Amino acid sequence: MAAHKGRRLRKTAATTAAAALAVAALSASQAPGATGASDPLQTSAGQSTPVPEASSADGNATGNSPYYTDLPPLNSPVPSPSSTIGTPVSRGEGEAGIPATVLDAYQKAEAELRASKPGCNLPWQLLAAIGKVESGQARGGRVTADGTTISPIIGPQLDGNGFALIKDTDHGAYDGNSSYDQAIGPMQFIPSTWAWAGRDGNGDGKADPNNVYDAALAAGHYLCRNGWDLSTERDLHRAILSYNNSTDYLNLVLSWVDYYRKGTHSVPDGSGGVPTHRSDDDLPRTSMPAAPHTAEPTHSKPAKPANPPKGTPSPRPGTPGSPSPEPTPPAGTPTPSDTVDHLVSPDLDGTELTATAGDAFERRIGARAVTKDGKSVAKVRVRFTISGDTDATFTGGERVATIATDAKGIALAPQLLAGEKAGTFQVTSVVVGHPAKGVGYTATVTPRPADKLVRTSDTALTCTPGGEFAGQVQVKATYKGAPAAKVGATATLIKSAANPTANIAGPYFKDANGRPVRTLTGLTTDADGLVTLPKLYADLFSGTYLLRVTTPGGGSVTVELKVSVLASASASPSPSPSASS
């Protein structure tokens, strides 16, 4: 054991010293416009890099759960694709190789973040490093074809017995424990964090913490929140510490990022190596209640945890990670949050907000923390959450933001962005970790308007009974004279100019099953304000009929349709119907 510990200490010294420099270079090399110039954040050899205070939207991702402490091999990775499924590979090959499905999940998450949050500069090697430390790459890649772990990965219950104390938040839905929370899945999210950070990474319509595609994408968005730029050392460290608030954890993750940066390769699913040492090996193990499903333990064989660099403070593995990452004060000492009685709106403009689809809300929402006698409370963490059936977000694409109150007790949420989906949503604010009454806002997204519609062609629309109209109707929407893009439109075959209800006979569109429909909704104009309607068909009744297209904002155009046995002989243009606004 002494010899083994000595090897691990030497490896710590060798890898940790270079890790911070290497990761800054790695992230910078992937940033837009990188040219290979030296990184201004690099430090001289031997200098200690200060560790910034952890910041988190809701405690941290894992609740400071235990993690694997195995360090990377001293030798650089050497690809060796000789392993077969189900066959354990050698130490060097297994450490450098990442199971194929797991690696694909990391790289797809990086690509999605590069498009949705290009300023974050997330490298997939960071996701791989966290996945290694948290679950040994989903236990060596024991996943199904769609990326779901063969059996759930569940950490120990966070009951305060050597770990953080986090009482149940999901009624056991994810971890099978209705008393305390447990970290779940290959990226080890606690249920309360997954509830808002979870993502659907494999396109199956649900966010599953035990699916590596979902978990990797969620971890990417989690690390990219708060406007962090991971090509800078300070934000990179903040992001990692927000995942698990420990200096040991930070150094270990940086070591694995550096290792994967030097080269890696995919190995068959199920053939990756699984680490054997974890951060709680010196703590007494507590029994976990039986879950309704079979769950292998997230970690296994005990050994000593990695030691931090000399002189660097390291939080205990059991530092509480639920609702706030701040140090726990001595018993009996009230925190600022404890003195808050309720939250109020910081202005007198009411709590209703309105914006047009695609725009930003002009008004910033916020909350002021006050005591029972109305005094403002500073340094209180307030969490704002968007809920409702719209795609509205805060700046940065998140639907949750946590902001500390200032000296006046006010926390201002990031600017609200309306998104493209019209409707009403709510923004609630609560004090993190304290049951004070919050304040809520109602926000409405109105459709993009168009005040005028015109048909783009003057060709007469005629058809024989039972036939198909030649050509398709196209209209152009404008607003105050300019093309109106992304405007919703409705097309209806109406009974008459005076009666705009849908007709029950005459021309019709077809739905996906080929059945007649006489009202179309969900149409949207393109970047030039144009929308082309589907083909029109005639039933067996002759006559003159009307098609009306309308948009929010008052735009409307009526098009005449003629069904006649003589229609085939008529080919001369007719005047275009007038547009009304």
Side-chain angles (χ1 to χ4, degrees):
M1 175 64 75
H4 175 73
K5 183 176 180 181
R7 286 195 300 273
R8 295 183 68 230
L9 288 175
R10 287 194 296 274
K11 284 159 63 179
T12 300
T15 56
T16 303
L21 305 181
V23 175
L26 162 69
S27 300
S29 69
Q30 298 189 359
T35 60
S38 59
D39 189 340
L41 290 174
Q42 289 183 347
T43 56
S44 303
Q47 285 185 323
S48 61
T49 303
V51 177
E53 179 184 356
S55 176
S56 170
D58 194 14
N60 53 51
T62 68
N64 288 333
S65 292
Y67 54 89
Y68 287 124
T69 59
D70 295 47
L71 286 161
L74 290 174
N75 297 327
S76 296
V78 177
S80 177
S82 59
S83 58
T84 56
I85 295 176
T87 304
V89 296
S90 65
R91 163 112 170 121
E93 181 185 346
E95 299 291 13
I98 298 177
T101 298
V102 181
L103 178 59
D104 185 55
Y106 297 149
Q107 293 177 335
K108 277 187 167 59
E110 180 200 53
E112 196 277 341
L113 267 300
R114 190 185 303 123
S116 63
K117 296 183 180 178
C120 175
N121 298 308
L122 171 82
W124 67 260
Q125 288 90 342
L126 176 58
L127 296 176
I130 290 175
K132 180 70 173 183
V133 168
E134 293 296 343
S135 68
Q137 310 298 20
R139 298 197 201 100
R142 296 190 62 221
V143 297
T144 59
D146 71 347
T148 303
T149 56
I150 292 174
S151 57
I153 301 176
I154 302 180
Q157 70 177 17
L158 301 174
D159 58 3
N161 186 10
F163 307 110
L165 173 59
I166 305 180
K167 293 186 177 180
D168 175 63
T169 60
D170 66 332
H171 304 290
Y174 290 118
D175 54 16
N177 188 339
S178 58
S179 299
Y180 300 96
D181 272 352
Q182 297 173 242
I184 44 176
M187 302 303 276
Q188 288 289 277
F189 281 96
I190 53 174
S192 59
T193 303
W194 182 261
W196 60 264
R199 293 292 195 281
D200 175 17
N202 65 348
D204 64 355
K206 62 181 180 179
D208 179 5
N210 285 300
N211 181 280
V212 70
Y213 287 98
D214 296 357
L217 184 58
H221 277 278
Y222 184 91
L223 294 164
C224 285
R225 71 199 192 288
N226 297 334
W228 284 332
D229 178 359
L230 303 186
S231 67
T232 68
E233 187 179 80
R234 179 177 176 82
D235 284 356
L236 176 66
H237 287 195
R238 283 183 167 186
I240 296 172
L241 285 170
S242 78
Y243 213 89
N244 191 310
N245 190 17
S246 161
T247 306
D248 288 351
Y249 184 88
L250 170 67
N251 291 333
L252 183 61
V253 168
L254 291 175
S255 297
W256 278 107
V257 173
D258 182 40
Y259 183 73
Y260 288 133
R261 179 187 66 84
K262 293 174 182 175
T264 189
H265 57 282
S266 65
V267 297
D269 291 344
S271 67
V274 181
T276 56
H277 311 103
R278 71 182 205 176
S279 60
D280 65 334
D281 287 335
D282 287 342
L283 297 176
R285 300 296 171 87
T286 56
S287 59
M288 290 186 285
H293 49 250
T294 302
E296 297 180 12
T298 311
H299 309 287
S300 52
K301 210 170 167 185
K304 296 282 183 185
N307 294 327
K310 235 175 184 183
T312 304
S314 175
R316 286 172 50 84
T319 300
S322 67
S324 171
E326 298 171 1
T328 304
T333 303
T335 65
S337 297
D338 294 331
T339 66
V340 177
D341 180 72
H342 61 283
L343 298 175
V344 296
S345 177
D347 53 46
L348 300 177
D349 293 339
T351 55
E352 294 189 2
L353 307 95
T354 303
T356 301
D359 291 346
F361 285 83
E362 291 184 6
R363 182 177 156 218
R364 290 275 297 276
I365 65 171
R368 185 164 69 93
V370 296
T371 62
K372 206 167 190 177
D373 55 2
K375 293 182 179 178
S376 298
V377 185
K379 298 182 179 179
V380 171
R381 297 173 66 243
V382 177
R383 183 172 63 243
F384 298 91
T385 304
I386 297 172
S387 60
D389 188 24
T390 72
D391 55 355
T393 66
F394 293 115
T395 300
E398 299 296 342
R399 291 173 68 89
V400 176
T402 300
I403 309 294
T405 57
D406 59 18
K408 296 181 180 179
I410 296 174
L412 283 178
Q415 189 171 33
L416 273 171
L417 306 179
E420 293 298 336
K421 188 175 182 180
T424 300
F425 65 94
Q426 290 72 43
V427 183
T428 56
S429 61
V430 296
V431 176
V432 174
H434 187 67
K437 183 180 178 181
V439 61
Y441 295 83
T442 297
T444 301
V445 179
T446 59
R448 291 174 181 260
D451 54 18
K452 190 174 183 179
L453 279 177
V454 295
R455 190 180 165 208
T456 60
S457 170
D458 59 2
T459 303
L461 293 169
T462 60
C463 183
T464 57
E468 176 183 318
F469 284 85
Q472 293 171 254
V473 176
Q474 184 184 66
V475 298
K476 181 171 184 176
T478 56
Y479 183 67
K480 296 182 179 180
K486 297 183 180 180
V487 171
T490 298
T492 306
L493 290 147
I494 59 177
K495 290 184 176 180
S496 68
N499 185 354
T501 58
N503 209 341
I504 58 174
Y508 59 89
F509 301 106
K510 288 183 179 180
D511 65 11
N513 297 315
R515 294 175 298 200
V517 291
R518 292 184 170 87
T519 299
L520 292 179
T521 59
L523 303 169
T524 306
T525 61
D526 63 15
D528 297 318
L530 299 172
V531 60
T532 302
L533 306 188
K535 286 185 177 181
L536 278 162
Y537 303 86
D539 60 14
L540 299 179
F541 296 97
S542 298
T544 300
Y545 300 90
L546 298 177
L547 166 68
R548 181 167 291 171
V549 184
T550 59
T551 60
S556 176
V557 63
T558 302
V559 181
E560 189 175 84
L561 309 173
K562 290 185 177 181
V563 180
S564 169
V565 292
L566 302 177
S568 58
S570 175
S572 60
S574 64
S576 170
S578 60
S580 60
S581 60

